[in-house]
Amino acid sequence: METMLAAVFKRPGEIVLERRPIPSIGPNDALLKVTTTTICGTDVHILRGEYPVASERIVGHEPVGVIAALGDAVSGYRVGQRVIAGAITPCGQCESCLDGHPSQCGGMAVGGWRLGNTIDGCQAQYVRVPFAMANLTSVPDALSDEQVLMCPDIMSTGFGGAERGEIKIGDTVAVIAQGPIGLCATAGARLKGASRIIAVDRIASRLDAAKLLGADEIIDASSADPVQAIMRLTSGRGVDVAIEALGAQETFEACLRVLKPGGTLSSLGVYAGKLAMPPDAFAAGLGDHRIVTTLCPGGKERMRRLLNVVASGRVNLGSLVTHRFRLDQIEQAYDLFANQRDGVLKVAITC
Ligand SMILES: [Zn+2]
Ligand SMILES: [Zn+2]
């Protein structure tokens, strides 16, 4: 049996590199030879046992690769084609998909997120992509793997937060937390036409990156109270849209407290434990506020649009890749990324 290298979740605290059989495919699938992938904050949650996946699951949900084989029912693609697939791989046929919520494919429990969650993922030399015709997008030759590596997840998610927040031209937007997703939300807010973007984080290098990606003002939450600072910057008016990009009570609540009446809280964080909504933070329910949430938009049309953005040069997310590893070094990559050492934002893993 032909084998490949793969990063496998064993138990909380343990993701290890192992040899596994190369996946076999069904009629609607594609087999990708993964050329480049990355590690997501969500993978760190899996590693720590904070998000449950089955033991022995191959992790990873951000593939750039080349088609190695196609199922009998797949048309419109060819072996050897360079492609990406989104982190979320909707079926394109179910009620959620056809109702405009493909990330929620299959109904309750974030069913659209399959790779590295409910089926084996792409931190491996090969990955089986389900529903290939709904999920594979050709990558233009002019774009490098690294240039498109953010499309499957963080760019789609971060931009999604700006889009779902329905930012209007001329809006004032706060983006609270500037990890990779928050940085992409900042870039997305700029693309959507916000005229004033206030970025909040505690890490200086992330605030620097936020400025490069379109933040007009930055607030270092390690030395200033972000709510007070934002209210001062907006002369007490508050912001039109507040984007939450961490998934914590403190940041969610800060977003609520800086919203203008009628403003929108666009939440990207993944919450664990209790999330409370103190009545005074949302005007006792009388503020005409809107709260929206986003799971990374997936599917081939989404990826096509994001590739267009990259190709246009309107946003350059290349600076987010701060460290590079080979797949056989992925345990080191996890160690660096999970512990946020050395100013790491995203790692590129070549397979
Ligand atoms: Zn992810
Ligand atoms: Zn579906």
Side-chain angles (χ1 to χ4, degrees):
M1 192 194 308
E2 277 201 278
T3 65
M4 63 174 187
L5 279 178
V8 178
F9 172 77
K10 292 292 189 180
R11 59 189 68 79
E14 212 180 325
I15 287 177
V16 295
L17 200 62
E18 278 189 350
R19 292 215 76 91
R20 283 299 194 86
I22 291 175
S24 53
I25 58 169
N28 297 304
D29 302 336
L31 182 69
L32 294 197
K33 166 109 186 60
V34 182
T35 50
T36 307
T37 186
T38 179
I39 300 174
C40 178
T42 309
D43 298 321
V44 175
H45 288 303
I46 291 171
L47 172 65
R48 292 183 175 148
E50 294 159 356
Y51 181 90
V53 303
S55 179
E56 303 296 324
R57 176 72 68 234
I58 298 172
V59 288
H61 51 262
E62 295 154 282
V64 185
V66 173
I67 296 175
L70 291 167
D72 293 339
V74 179
S75 60
Y77 298 92
R78 59 177 171 76
V79 169
Q81 195 172 3
R82 265 182 89 218
V83 292
I84 57 172
I88 305 296
T89 51
C91 75
Q93 302 294 329
C94 72
E95 179 182 327
S96 295
C97 282
L98 296 173
D99 193 35
H101 298 282
S103 296
Q104 307 297 334
C105 179
M108 300 296 278
V110 294
W113 176 30
R114 296 182 167 92
L115 294 177
N117 180 26
T118 54
I119 66 173
D120 280 336
C122 64
Q123 287 169 16
Q125 288 173 300
Y126 291 87
V127 63
R128 175 178 76 88
V129 176
F131 313 112
M133 290 170 71
N135 288 294
L136 295 182
T137 304
S138 189
V139 176
D141 290 340
L143 301 181
S144 69
D145 278 17
E146 241 177 60
Q147 278 179 292
V148 304
L149 184 58
M150 302 303 127
C151 296
D153 188 354
I154 66 160
M155 184 180 179
S156 190
T157 304
F159 282 17
E163 292 167 290
R164 291 269 293 155
E166 295 181 6
I167 292 170
K168 293 194 286 292
I169 293 172
D171 270 354
T172 297
V173 175
V175 184
I176 301 197
Q178 295 291 311
I181 299 258
L183 288 168
C184 288
T186 297
R190 182 82 159 201
L191 282 175
K192 287 282 287 173
S195 57
R196 192 178 191 195
I197 301 168
I198 305 168
V200 179
D201 204 280
R202 295 172 178 276
I203 300 173
S205 59
R206 295 186 170 203
L207 291 170
D208 291 343
K211 272 193 168 164
L212 284 177
L213 289 172
D216 300 285
E217 275 135 325
I218 54 172
I219 295 168
D220 183 346
S222 69
S223 58
D225 174 59
V227 173
Q228 285 176 9
I230 290 168
M231 295 314 283
R232 198 177 325 113
L233 283 171
T234 59
S235 306
R237 173 187 179 272
V239 301
D240 300 285
V241 179
I243 300 178
E244 201 284 347
L246 186 67
Q249 175 69 38
E250 187 187 0
T251 44
F252 182 85
E253 198 174 317
C255 283
L256 276 180
R257 290 186 188 278
V258 300
L259 274 188
K260 72 167 190 183
T264 297
L265 191 167
S266 179
S267 171
L268 293 173
V270 181
Y271 302 89
K274 213 171 193 176
L275 182 65
M277 199 138 68
D280 68 308
F282 82 128
L286 303 173
D288 288 351
H289 293 141
R290 208 164 60 95
I291 298 176
V292 294
T293 66
T294 300
L295 171 63
C296 177
K300 68 179 178 185
E301 169 60 9
R302 176 66 169 178
M303 293 302 116
R304 186 189 69 81
R305 287 174 180 275
L306 297 181
L307 288 172
N308 280 349
V309 175
V310 175
S312 74
R314 277 180 168 74
V315 172
N316 182 358
L317 299 173
S319 59
L320 296 188
V321 176
T322 53
H323 294 73
R324 291 163 185 83
F325 295 88
R326 295 186 314 269
L327 181 61
D328 61 16
Q329 302 169 308
I330 198 165
E331 293 173 24
Q332 276 167 262
Y334 264 98
D335 186 50
L336 175 98
F337 186 72
N339 295 297
Q340 291 188 13
R341 276 203 284 275
D342 197 22
V344 64
L345 282 170
K346 288 290 276 187
V347 298
I349 310 281
T350 49
C351 299

